[in-house]
Amino acid sequence: MILANSLPGFRIEINPPKVDLADLNSLFEIVGMGTRSVDAMREAIKSSTEIVVVYNDRDILVGFGRLISDGAYYGTLWDIAVHPNFQKLGIGKMIVARLLAKCRCLQLRMVGLFTALHNRRFYESLGFTMLDYIHAMTLDLDQFEH
Ligand SMILES: CC(C)(COP(=O)(O)OP(=O)(O)OC[C@H]1O[C@@H](n2cnc3c(N)ncnc32)[C@H](O)[C@@H]1OP(=O)(O)O)[C@@H](O)C(=O)NCCC(=O)NCCS
């Protein structure tokens, strides 16, 4: 689905059939999210509940975000990124708003995300609350032995 007029000068695509993964990798790299394996990222996109891709008027990929959900209870937002040259224009807010619309459509009970502390205000402006009594935990699966 292509949404043309949500933000003048930008084209928003929801679940496009094809995403240029080299361009997506460039976006991740320039915002400091590291690069990904193209094959793994293709699989990750295919398995995501919803992806949002934003292009500028020269067809350059300038924004991205995705939702992963079980379709009933929980949703998590991942890989929200806007090219530095196009930040503070409302693109990030629009990407998250689209993903939250999908969460509402699915009637999810809870949506969450992991982010650096300096993004706190951005997500608070979108209605998220930081839970001071919860800490993120991760496990490096390569190091884990049963
Ligand atoms: C975080 C990010 C996605 C925000 O995208 P963006 O397009 O610049 O955000 P918007 O223009 O939609 O900003 C929406 C609001 O948040 C504010 N905001 C944006 N980035 C902010 C930041 N880092 N800190 C504080 N406020 C911020 C804006 O001023 C704006 O406020 P307003 O609605 O009162 O005017 C973008 O800065 C980014 O890609 N950062 C690097 C990657 C990253 O950290 N992603 C998050 C991973 S969870």
Side-chain angles (χ1 to χ4, degrees), residues 80-82 87-90 92-93 114-115 118-119 122-123:
I80 312 292
V82 175
Q87 289 180 4
K88 309 271 181 185
L89 297 176
K93 203 167 189 167
F114 299 92
T115 194
H118 63 259
N119 289 326
F122 169 70
Y123 286 110

Side-chain angles (χ1 to χ4, degrees), residues 7 27-28 30-33 62-64 77-84 86-96 113-126:
L7 203 61
L27 175 67
F28 287 155
I30 201 164
V31 299
M33 288 172 135
V62 298
F64 183 83
L77 307 191
W78 291 96
D79 296 334
I80 312 292
V82 175
H83 190 286
F86 300 93
Q87 289 180 4
K88 309 271 181 185
L89 297 176
I91 296 174
K93 203 167 189 167
M94 186 190 57
I95 292 169
V96 175
L113 54 89
F114 299 92
T115 194
L117 207 51
H118 63 259
N119 289 326
R120 177 179 180 164
R121 253 181 349 105
F122 169 70
Y123 286 110
E124 283 180 342
S125 79
L126 285 153

